[in-house]
Amino acid sequence: MDKLWLIIKREYLNKVRNRTFVIMTFVSPLIFVAVAVVVGLLTSVNNDTVRKVAILDETAQFSNLFEDTDRTDYITIDNSIEQAITASNEAGYYGLLHVSSDNGKLGEITFYSNDAPNESYINDIERTIEKKATEANLITSGIDLKKLDDAKVDKTIKLQNYLGVQSSKKVGYVKMIFGGAAGYLLMMFIIIYGNMVMRSVIEEKTNRIIEIIVSSVKPIYLMVGKIIGTSLAGITQFLIWLILGLILYTVAISFLGIDAMSSPSTDIATQQLQDMDQMELIINDILQLPLGTLVLCFFIYFIGGYLLYASIYTAIGAAVDNETDTQQFMLPIIIPLILAMYVGFFTVMDNPEGTVATVFSYIPLTSPIVMLMRIPFGVVSWWEILISVVLLYASIIAVAWLASKIYRVGILMYGKKTNWKELYKWLKY
Amino acid sequence: MEYTLEANNIIKNYGEYRALNDVSIKVPKGSIYGLLGPNGAGKTSLIRIINQITMPDAGEVLLNGEPLQPKHIQDIGYMPEERGLYKSMKVGEQCLYLAQLKGLSKKEAKSRLEHWFEKLGMTGWWNKKLQELSKGMAQKVQFIVTVLHEPSLLIFDEPFSGFDPVNANLIKDEILELSEKGTTIIFSTHRMESVEEMCDHIALINKSNLVLSGKLSDVKQQFRSRNYTVSLIADQPQDTFSKVPAIYEPQKTELKGLDHTLDMNIKLPESQTIAQAITQFTSLGELTHFSEIIPSVNDIFIKTVEQDG
C-alpha cells in the first residue's frame, strides 16, 4: 500500500509540475475568454456600418412606415424605377425597395441589391407592408380596427406538473443543457485524461524504465497508481478552472452588471421585468431538477466512466511502442463515446424513456454519458440507476482485470507490432 | 555449500512457446555467476522469474533457502538489459523514488545516495534532470539505483552493453568490490571476455534448456581435449613441420617469435602420454614450449551450442 501511495504521488506530481500542464491550466481559460471577446468584437464590428436603403414607393402609402434604425437609414426617392436603380447603385446604397402600384393599389414589391439580404430583414419588410395593407383593406371593408384589436385574445399556457410545480416553456432546454453539459464534460475528461494515462504508459516503455519499476512493484500497482494519479491531476485542473471561472464570472458581473443598470429606459425595464418572470421560472425549473441525484450520479458515473475507459487506455498504451501505433486500437474507445453522445442528444432528448435510450443507459461503455443525460428529465427510477451502476462497476472490475493482463505482458514487449490477435494471446499468458 | 539462489525445475510457457524447459541452477553464496546463452535462449525469462516479474508455470525458486515471496524484492537488485530512467525527473528525486519502491526509508535512501554520489564523483547532480546528463552519467545513476538497497543478490543483464569503456571499467570495479563484501552476483551475457575475467561459476542455456552448469574450473576441466601448443627451434621450420607424425594432427600457428622457430597446435592421441610426446618432439629439434590449451569460455560456448544443434 505504501508503494501504491508512492506511485500515485509521483504520477500526480509529475503531471502537475509538467510545464504543458501548468500552461494549459492557466492559459486555456484565458484563451477561452479571449476567443469569446474577439468573437463578440468581430460581430459588433460586422454590424457597425450603417447601410442606406432607398425606397421608391409608387403607392406613397408605405415609405413613411420605415424609420431609420441603428443599422439602416431609409431614403425616400421619387424617380422612375430605371433611374432609381441606376442612382441607388451609383450612390452605393445597400438596396432599393420598390413598391409598385397596381391602379393605385399595392402591386409587386421588389428589393434590389448587390448582396443577398438576410431573410429576417426581408421578412420584417414584408410584415410591415402586409400589416399596413391589411389594415387598409379592413378599413375599406368597414371594419373598426379598434374593435378588432379588442377582440383579439392572447393566451400563454402555463406549465405545471401534477404536483402543482410550475415550469417555464424552456424546461426541456434546461434539462437538455444540464444533462448535455454533464455528459459532454465526462466525455472530454475521459478523452483528455485517458490519453494522458496512455501516453504515460508509453513513456515508461520508451524510457525503458518499466522493467526496473516492475522488479520493485507488481505491474497492477503501477497501473492503478498511474490511473489514480493522473485522474487526481485532472481533478486538480478542473478545480482550478472552476475557481478561475468563478473569479472571472464575478469580475464580469461586477463590471457589466452595473453598466447595464445605469441606463434603464422604460422599455427595457418592462422587458427586463418579463425576463425576470421568465428567469424566475427557469431558476425554478433548475431547482426542480433532481439536483441531488444528478450531482451524486455525476460523481458516480464520472469516476466509473473514467476508470472504465482509463483501463482500456492503459492496455492500449502497454500494447504499442509509440503513440502513432495507437490509432488502430482507438476505435473501441471513440465509437462508444460518440454513440453515447448521439444517443444522448437525439434519442434521449426526443424520448428519455424510449427503449434505445434505456438500453444505452445500461450498457457500461455508454451508460455514464447516456444516464447522466436521462437523469435531469426525472424519468429514471432508482432501480434503473442501481442496475446501470452495478453493471458499470462490475464491468470496470472485469475490464481492469483484462487490461492488467495485457498491461503485464505488453510493458515488457519491445519492437513488436501488436494486433488484436496478439492481444488475445496475451490474455492467456 | 550455501546457495543464495536455487531455481529448481523451472518451466515457463508463453502460449504455445516453451521459454524455459525444466531449468535448474544453483548460485553459491558470494559467487559471481555467469548466465550464458545465445539471444532468445531464455536467460531473460529466467531472470524475470527470479525478480518475480513473471511467475513460472512449474518449479520453485528459493532465495537464501526460502521460497520466493514479495518481500524478497528488497533482497534483489536488478539491472535489466532494456534499461532507462524517467527523462524529465530530477536525478535525486528519481533515485529516492526508486529506492523507496525497493523498501528503503526516505532518510536512509538519502544518506546512502549521498555516499554513492560522492564515491562516483556525482556531487552536484541532485537537482539535474536526467535529460541534461550525458549517457555515461546516466549509466552511473542506473548503477546506483540497482545497488542502493544493498541486496544480497545482484542481477545484471548484459551489464556492459551500452556502457562506454571508461564507465564499464568503473562499474566492473564496483561490482568486484561488492562481490568481495559478500554480495552474490549473476551476470547474464553473451560477451565471453567478461565472463572469463570475472565469473567463477557459469550456466549455459540454449533453446530453453540448461545445457551446462557448474564451477568454471570444473567446466573447463570437463572440456579439456588433449590440445597442446608446441614450439621448436629448427633450422628449416618447414622441413621439420613435415616430419611431425600425422597422429598429432599438427596445425601451424602464425606466432611471429624468434627466427627458426616452429609453432604449432597438436592433439595428443589417446594412446600417448605427455612424456612420450615430449620425447617425440625433442627428437625433431630443441623443444622450447609445450603447454596444454585450456578451452576458453567462448570455445566452450560455441562448441556446446553447435553440438546442441
Side-chain angles (χ1 to χ4, degrees), chain A residues 255-287:
Chain A
F255 278 100
L256 301 177
I258 292 164
D259 200 45
M261 287 301 178
S262 58
S263 58
S265 74
T266 42
D267 236 22
I268 294 169
T270 26
Q271 183 66 33
Q272 270 179 347
L273 265 177
Q274 278 174 7
D275 279 357
M276 289 292 240
D277 266 6
Q278 193 65 23
M279 240 359 244
E280 221 167 86
L281 275 174
I282 289 177
I283 289 169
N284 200 30
D285 289 343
I286 294 172
L287 292 178

Side-chain angles (χ1 to χ4, degrees), chain B residues 39 66 117 147 160 170 179 181 207 235 245-246 256 278:
Chain B
N39 287 327
E66 290 177 46
F117 274 38
V147 302
F160 304 114
L170 186 84
S179 170
K181 285 182 188 162
K207 292 187 181 163
D235 289 338
K256 295 276 182 277
I278 289 176

Side-chain angles (χ1 to χ4, degrees), chain A residues 3 6-7 9-11 14 17 203-204 206-209 211-218 222 412 414 429, chain B residues 14-15 44 48 51 53 73 78 80 82-89 93-94 97-98 100-103 142:
Chain A
K3 291 183 178 177
L6 271 173
I7 294 169
K9 204 169 96 186
R10 195 205 83 85
E11 292 292 335
N14 189 44
R17 283 189 200 155
E203 190 203 348
E204 274 171 359
T206 48
N207 277 355
R208 298 288 196 262
I209 194 174
E211 203 165 343
I212 292 171
I213 305 273
V214 294
S215 68
S216 304
V217 293
K218 285 199 178 309
L222 184 59
L412 297 172
Y414 298 115
Y429 277 4
Chain B
Y14 293 112
T44 303
R48 283 180 179 165
N51 276 296
I53 293 171
I73 281 170
Y78 173 39
E82 297 284 1
R83 52 183 171 254
L85 296 159
Y86 290 113
K87 285 203 173 61
S88 55
M89 223 174 156
E93 231 171 81
Q94 179 145 228
Y97 172 64
L98 293 171
Q100 281 175 283
L101 284 186
K102 279 285 186 190
Q142 196 92 54

Side-chain angles (χ1 to χ4, degrees), chain B residues 74-75 104 108 112 116 146-153 183:
Chain B
Q74 307 185 29
D75 295 328
L104 281 186
E108 181 66 34
R112 286 191 198 179
W116 273 107
T146 312
V147 302
L148 191 71
H149 56 293
E150 297 176 359
S152 58
L153 174 64
T183 311

Side-chain angles (χ1 to χ4, degrees), chain A residues 340-353:
Chain A
M341 287 310 282
Y342 275 118
V343 168
F345 274 116
F346 297 109
T347 322
V348 173
M349 296 312 160
D350 184 45
N351 179 8
E353 285 176 289

Side-chain angles (χ1 to χ4, degrees), chain B residues 41-296:
Chain B
K43 298 181 304 255
T44 303
S45 293
L46 181 61
I47 290 175
R48 283 180 179 165
I49 288 170
I50 297 169
N51 276 296
Q52 304 182 59
I53 293 171
T54 50
M55 292 292 157
D57 294 326
E60 60 162 3
V61 179
L62 304 179
L63 190 77
N64 296 318
E66 290 177 46
L68 214 52
Q69 291 159 34
K71 66 162 184 176
H72 287 131
I73 281 170
Q74 307 185 29
D75 295 328
I76 303 178
Y78 173 39
M79 187 156 86
E81 183 179 7
E82 297 284 1
R83 52 183 171 254
L85 296 159
Y86 290 113
K87 285 203 173 61
S88 55
M89 223 174 156
K90 287 176 181 165
V91 173
E93 231 171 81
Q94 179 145 228
C95 291
L96 274 185
Y97 172 64
L98 293 171
Q100 281 175 283
L101 284 186
K102 279 285 186 190
L104 281 186
S105 74
K106 198 170 178 177
K107 210 176 137 202
E108 181 66 34
K110 204 162 181 173
S111 84
R112 286 191 198 179
L113 278 171
E114 275 161 11
H115 163 77
W116 273 107
F117 274 38
E118 201 161 314
K119 191 170 184 198
L120 297 183
M122 295 161 53
T123 38
W125 290 16
W126 192 271
N127 280 322
K128 279 191 181 166
K129 281 190 176 175
L130 235 288
Q131 59 204 8
E132 298 168 35
L133 300 188
S134 73
K135 208 175 168 200
M137 291 160 103
Q139 286 164 347
K140 285 186 187 177
V141 178
Q142 196 92 54
F143 177 74
I144 292 177
V145 296
T146 312
V147 302
L148 191 71
H149 56 293
E150 297 176 359
S152 58
L153 174 64
L154 277 170
I155 303 175
F156 296 95
D157 199 347
E158 297 295 351
F160 304 114
S161 75
F163 274 66
D164 60 69
V166 177
N167 274 319
N169 253 331
L170 186 84
I171 298 302
K172 202 169 83 188
D173 291 345
E174 290 299 333
I175 292 174
L176 289 175
E177 199 181 318
L178 285 166
S179 170
E180 272 160 31
K181 285 182 188 162
T183 311
T184 309
I185 289 156
I186 297 179
F187 273 136
S188 159
T189 187
H190 52 250
R191 267 190 42 170
M192 298 306 152
E193 325 83 278
S194 53
V195 177
E196 196 93 46
E197 213 173 331
M198 300 175 77
C199 297
D200 41 40
H201 287 74
I202 59 164
L204 179 54
I205 295 178
N206 190 36
K207 292 187 181 163
S208 318
N209 289 292
L210 183 76
V211 287
L212 187 71
S213 72
K215 218 170 156 184
L216 185 59
S217 50
D218 294 347
V219 172
K220 288 199 168 188
Q221 181 72 27
Q222 191 189 326
F223 275 78
R224 283 171 71 186
S225 50
R226 301 176 75 81
N227 285 319
Y228 293 83
T229 330
V230 177
S231 299
L232 291 172
I233 294 180
D235 289 338
Q236 302 288 331
Q238 195 56 44
D239 236 29
T240 317
F241 183 70
S242 61
K243 287 181 194 154
V244 176
I247 49 158
Y248 294 113
E249 302 170 24
Q251 279 179 318
K252 247 169 116 176
T253 50
E254 296 294 326
L255 264 175
K256 295 276 182 277
L258 300 160
D259 281 343
H260 309 298
T261 55
L262 169 63
D263 302 305
M264 62 191 138
N265 289 341
I266 60 147
K267 194 173 170 75
L268 195 65
E270 295 290 337
S271 55
Q272 266 196 347
T273 61
I274 295 174
Q276 285 169 320
I278 289 176
T279 317
Q280 176 77 51
F281 281 101
T282 312
S283 69
L284 293 169
E286 190 185 342
L287 184 65
T288 57
H289 184 100
F290 192 97
S291 69
E292 183 178 359
I293 300 171
I294 307 288
S296 69

Side-chain angles (χ1 to χ4, degrees), chain B residues 1-18:
Chain B
M1 197 188 279
E2 232 184 305
Y3 295 106
T4 300
L5 180 86
E6 288 176 71
N8 298 322
N9 310 97
I10 303 294
I11 292 175
K12 177 73 188 173
N13 298 314
Y14 293 112
E16 298 285 296
Y17 178 70
R18 176 158 287 194

